[in-house]
Amino acid sequence: MKTITFVLETQQPVLATSFQGDPNSDVSYSYLPGSMIRGALIGRYLQRHRLQNTDILTDETVRRLFFEGSTRYLNAYLYSQNQKRTLPLPKSWKKEKNAEFNELDEIKAYDFSLEEKKLNSPKPVGEYFWEQESGDVILYAVNRRINIHNLRDRRKGRSAPDKLNPTTNTVVETRDGEIFRYEALDAGQSFQAVILCADIDVALFQKLLDPPDIWIGGSQSAGYGHHKISNISIYDEWHETNIPVEKRQENTTSLSITLLSDLIVRDESGQYAPIPPTHLLYERLRVSLKLQSSYVGFTTIGGFNRKWGLPLAQVPAIEAGSVFVYDYVDNLTTEQILNLEWEGIGERRVEGFGRIAVNFLSKAILIVKLPDVVNPETEGSTQPTKTDYSRTLATQMAERILRHKLEKLLLNKVQCHLLTANQISNSQVSRLVLVAREALSRKSREPIDELLENLTQTSRTQFNRARIGDLCLTKQLKNWLDEPMTIWSKDIEPVKIADFTLNLSEELAMEYALRLIMAIAKQATKEKDS
């Protein structure tokens, strides 16, 4: 068996809807579910082989890749600064209630599954993902974005009409202008996904992961779900915990099961129930187990079947991070543990559910920190970027910082360069706004040059009378377009990330020169209207 890992970089907000929030809001999971990654790859496969309108289960390759269970799609969790896949925080980790990161650089946490401490007011550490670095625990949290939307008619593009009773033609539900909210994962984040597959399928998946642009999640037509695939790696041996089984077997007197993803369990009657997975472990290991302690969270799992166009049944489940500690007599072999962790337990394992780690937790007292925030403006940040992903990330960070500086400077420039609007009509100012917007979309100054060259005598007189500072509007526009770098270069310094330095380019300077022209014209219009 092979393991394929790859990084998904969010280019747009992502809506991986969970069952949190009220009826008028959709709240995304804090990760990319394996079911959505599987669905996106199914879509690619069907499109390339033109199987959209056929019974796809008649295709042997489709069954093997996506349905039989030998191939599994694990959840994509946050990708850390150390370029590792983080894991959900164990629910057995507790801290004192008053230990908060806004006051302290690091806090102490205690693993109650190993040793229960007498704390004044024990509280969960929080909803984080984590990795271990030099013996300390580094916590990562996802960034979210809240967007407000109006319910609209899909065909007409305006607010949805009231719902009518088809028989009596009376209003059953008033929906005009109804507002709902999306709490999505924000753009600019990276998640590492994992596919466990047979050796013969590696080449197929490499083709499916190309091209890098892929859409995952809901509301894709509304500007959600765009990702870029990068850092594709293939391994013969891979473990989610990065800790050898032999080391985890040392000095253990109990069996600890930590859930690395949500677990769907059926009880002995065949009903879905969020109960300890003792019977599942016994079926796999055939050893006598007695539950000693557990630290559990509960959730509800659903889904959506794109073939049917219908939601899946909602079932109760045990949350990722839950810990179960068992007393047991028999010693497990390394092969038993490896097989158990590779296969997982419970239902829907092909979609990443039921991932577990055996005897994963080993420290009773932990030092917990947040990741270091790199200040790109400080000196000494000269560590070389060793990988293509690091260089790409450094480039993106530098460009965003440079644009942020330009945005702030743009606001100041608008206030310092006011247009004397009483010398020019509203129609001419509005015309300038439209032409500047066109120039921005075309990334060219030509629309403004054409406007100035083709002005009528009356319009030219108005442009020459209107002033920005000491210069007439026509001359100031030409000066900015001829030398856009002079507008910004005195106030903008190069941005440095690690060993990468980004300078202000002519193209970016021209873009913000056009935005400055449009902003000044808009400001003049507002002043005239007031």
Side-chain angles (χ1 to χ4, degrees):
M1 297 293 284
K2 297 282 188 179
T3 301
I4 303 173
T5 66
F6 54 96
V7 174
L8 292 165
E9 304 171 38
T10 59
Q11 308 299 303
Q12 295 175 336
V14 184
L15 197 62
T17 307
S18 64
F19 290 99
Q20 306 175 51
D22 58 65
N24 288 330
S25 68
D26 283 343
V27 180
S28 181
Y29 287 111
S30 55
Y31 57 88
L32 305 179
S35 58
M36 289 188 173
I37 297 169
R38 170 174 166 255
L41 294 180
I42 289 175
R44 276 194 170 183
Y45 185 91
L46 299 184
Q47 184 178 21
R48 291 180 184 181
H49 294 81
R50 299 180 179 178
L51 298 173
Q52 294 97 326
N53 300 320
T54 62
D55 182 1
I56 61 176
L57 292 180
T58 59
D59 187 295
E60 181 183 347
T61 305
V62 170
R63 292 201 309 271
R64 186 180 72 251
L65 291 182
F66 303 114
F67 296 102
E68 287 183 349
S70 57
T71 303
R72 289 180 290 284
Y73 303 81
L74 308 193
N75 297 334
Y77 293 141
L78 275 173
Y79 200 47
S80 75
Q81 290 180 352
N82 297 318
Q83 299 181 21
K84 295 179 182 177
R85 179 175 180 258
T86 59
L87 294 172
L89 204 69
K91 297 191 179 299
S92 59
W93 289 2
K94 308 290 182 182
K95 66 176 181 66
E96 286 284 10
K97 181 180 179 179
N98 58 359
E100 298 293 343
F101 285 113
N102 55 3
E103 299 177 357
L104 304 168
D105 293 332
E106 60 183 44
I107 63 174
K108 272 189 178 181
Y110 305 89
D111 192 338
F112 277 41
S113 70
L114 298 174
E115 181 183 350
E116 290 206 7
K117 291 284 185 180
K118 292 184 178 180
L119 303 181
N120 294 328
S121 182
K123 294 290 180 182
V125 176
E127 294 186 8
Y128 293 97
F129 294 89
W130 71 287
E131 69 165 349
Q132 197 157 3
E133 181 183 299
S134 302
D136 295 336
V137 172
I138 310 300
L139 302 184
Y140 293 86
V142 296
N143 298 323
R144 294 179 179 270
R145 175 186 294 185
I146 297 176
N147 291 331
I148 306 298
H149 297 267
N150 289 333
L151 186 64
R152 293 180 178 272
D153 185 282
R154 286 180 179 271
R155 291 178 300 171
K156 298 179 180 178
R158 56 175 182 259
S159 297
D162 296 340
K163 187 175 181 180
L164 302 178
N165 185 314
T167 305
T168 63
N169 204 34
T170 57
V171 176
V172 177
E173 180 184 353
T174 303
R175 301 188 298 176
D176 189 30
E178 184 177 338
I179 294 176
F180 58 97
R181 183 181 77 166
Y182 284 163
E183 185 175 325
L185 300 179
D186 204 356
Q189 302 181 88
S190 296
F191 299 81
Q192 189 179 55
V194 181
I195 299 175
L196 310 178
C197 66
D199 295 7
I200 61 172
D201 294 328
V202 171
L204 278 172
F205 279 114
Q206 286 179 306
K207 292 179 181 178
L208 283 178
L209 295 175
D210 184 58
D213 291 286
I214 192 169
W215 275 259
I216 297 173
S219 296
Q220 294 174 10
S221 62
Y224 292 83
H226 182 199
H227 296 72
K228 279 193 178 293
I229 299 172
S230 63
N231 276 36
I232 301 174
S233 302
I234 301 169
Y235 300 95
D236 292 322
E237 293 186 8
W238 178 86
H239 304 289
E240 283 182 88
T241 62
N242 292 319
I243 302 174
V245 173
E246 294 79 10
K247 188 174 182 179
R248 288 185 269 142
Q249 286 180 292
E250 296 173 358
N251 304 319
T252 56
T253 58
S254 59
L255 181 69
S256 171
I257 302 295
T258 304
L259 300 189
L260 305 182
S261 65
D262 295 341
L263 172 63
I264 302 174
V265 183
R266 290 181 187 263
D267 60 20
E268 295 178 355
S269 302
Q271 299 297 315
Y272 290 108
I275 59 176
T278 310
H279 62 292
L280 298 178
L281 295 170
Y282 177 77
E283 289 174 3
R284 296 290 302 279
L285 302 175
R286 293 300 175 182
V287 295
S288 179
L289 298 172
K290 181 181 179 182
L291 187 63
Q292 177 183 321
S293 60
S294 62
Y295 305 87
V296 186
F298 302 102
T299 187
T300 302
I301 299 297
F304 190 83
N305 188 303
R306 294 171 65 181
K307 177 69 174 179
W308 301 338
L310 293 170
L312 301 178
Q314 299 176 22
V315 298
I318 304 173
E319 275 189 327
S322 297
V323 179
F324 301 91
V325 182
Y326 293 93
D327 288 325
Y328 79 113
V329 178
D330 304 295
N331 290 322
L332 297 179
T333 65
T334 300
E335 185 178 357
Q336 282 179 300
I337 295 176
L338 286 174
N339 288 337
L340 183 64
E341 292 182 339
W342 181 267
E343 295 294 337
I345 58 175
E347 303 269 321
R348 292 171 63 176
R349 283 176 284 165
V350 68
E351 301 171 29
F353 291 97
R355 305 301 302 172
I356 65 172
V358 177
N359 294 335
F360 181 31
L361 308 175
S362 59
K363 282 190 173 184
I365 301 176
L366 307 124
I367 302 300
V368 179
K369 303 177 180 179
L370 295 178
D372 294 330
V373 178
V374 179
N375 184 357
E377 298 182 3
T378 58
E379 296 295 331
S381 177
T382 57
Q383 291 296 321
T385 49
K386 297 180 181 179
T387 65
D388 291 340
Y389 176 76
S390 297
R391 285 186 284 274
T392 302
L393 187 61
T395 305
Q396 292 174 348
M397 290 173 64
E399 184 176 350
R400 287 173 186 166
I401 292 169
L402 188 59
R403 283 184 175 275
H404 181 67
K405 290 181 176 181
L406 286 167
E407 293 285 350
K408 292 173 65 176
L409 187 57
L410 177 64
L411 294 176
N412 293 333
K413 293 286 186 183
V414 172
Q415 299 304 319
C416 296
H417 296 82
L418 298 177
L419 173 63
T420 54
N422 59 332
Q423 301 294 332
I424 188 170
S425 66
N426 277 346
S427 61
Q428 295 300 332
V429 177
S430 299
R431 186 180 177 189
L432 179 58
V433 171
L434 293 174
V435 171
R437 183 179 290 120
E438 182 186 354
L440 265 176
S441 64
R442 290 169 54 179
K443 296 182 180 179
S444 169
R445 58 177 287 179
E446 290 182 5
I448 296 181
D449 288 336
E450 291 174 1
L451 169 68
L452 297 178
E453 289 174 5
N454 299 317
L455 289 173
T456 63
Q457 185 60 42
T458 303
S459 300
R460 191 178 304 278
T461 300
Q462 292 185 37
F463 270 73
N464 289 333
R465 285 180 180 175
R467 307 187 72 79
I468 298 178
D470 297 330
L471 298 176
C472 70
L473 176 58
T474 305
K475 189 170 182 59
Q476 186 63 274
L477 293 179
K478 288 183 177 180
N479 285 350
W480 282 343
L481 295 176
D482 290 339
E483 298 181 357
M485 292 288 287
T486 58
I487 308 173
W488 319 104
S489 57
K490 292 182 180 178
D491 303 291
I492 297 294
E493 296 180 355
V495 176
K496 190 171 185 180
I497 302 285
D499 60 343
F500 175 79
T501 302
L502 181 65
N503 294 295
L504 178 63
S505 64
E506 287 280 353
E507 183 180 358
L508 196 59
M510 176 61 74
E511 176 187 334
Y512 276 84
L514 295 172
R515 291 184 60 183
L516 175 63
I517 292 169
M518 188 165 63
I520 289 173
K522 283 185 176 181
Q523 182 69 19
T525 303
K526 289 180 181 178
E527 290 180 358
K528 293 194 75 172
D529 290 342
S530 61

